[in-house]
Amino acid sequence: MVRTLRDRKKGEFTALEQGGMTVAAYEAKFHALSRYATQLVTTEEERIRLFIRGLNSELQVLSVHMTSAGRSFNEVTDYVKKVEGVRRDGQAKA
């Protein structure tokens, strides 16, 4: 059985992890692939939860409080990008 492009992209979305990508690159890929998995991201909270789930573990821990109700996806991604930037600056100075 041949999987459709949508099925393949949906599979990529569900398996998506940040890995070596920057948060901005991960966010762009998350956004692009989420179009193929609209039934998985039916609410803003679910979108945020899935985004955080794919972050590297340290960023997951630092941003898990952002899953609380009332946060927008943009607020969460902006926060994670700031955390990533602070961590990079701190590592560069160390």
Side-chain angles (χ1 to χ4, degrees), residues 5-16:
L5 173 63
R6 179 171 288 282
D7 289 340
R8 285 194 307 272
K9 294 294 186 182
K10 181 180 173 186
E12 283 182 52
F13 176 75
T14 58
L16 182 63

Side-chain angles (χ1 to χ4, degrees), residues 44-55:
E44 188 85 348
E45 290 82 14
E46 196 61 24
R47 186 173 174 85
I48 292 167
R49 188 185 68 75
L50 290 170
F51 178 80
I52 290 175
R53 182 204 70 196
L55 290 170

Side-chain angles (χ1 to χ4, degrees), residues 88-94:
R88 269 205 191 121
D89 290 347
Q91 289 173 351
K93 292 175 185 172

Side-chain angles (χ1 to χ4, degrees), residues 33-89:
L33 291 173
S34 70
R35 298 177 332 159
Y36 298 98
T38 54
Q39 69 278 20
L40 299 177
V41 288
T42 56
T43 66
E44 188 85 348
E45 290 82 14
E46 196 61 24
R47 186 173 174 85
I48 292 167
R49 188 185 68 75
L50 290 170
F51 178 80
I52 290 175
R53 182 204 70 196
L55 290 170
N56 291 334
S57 59
E58 190 169 344
L59 287 174
Q60 280 181 14
V61 170
L62 293 171
S63 59
V64 72
H65 71 281
M66 297 296 287
T67 59
S68 64
R71 300 285 185 180
S72 73
F73 185 78
N74 287 338
E75 287 175 312
V76 172
T77 57
D78 288 347
Y79 173 79
V80 177
K81 287 175 195 173
K82 285 178 190 171
V83 169
E84 178 186 51
V86 167
R87 294 197 67 256
R88 269 205 191 121
D89 290 347

Side-chain angles (χ1 to χ4, degrees), residues 17-34:
E17 294 182 348
Q18 181 186 2
M21 291 184 272
T22 64
V23 172
Y26 168 66
E27 176 190 8
K29 193 161 191 170
F30 181 92
H31 178 70
L33 291 173
S34 70

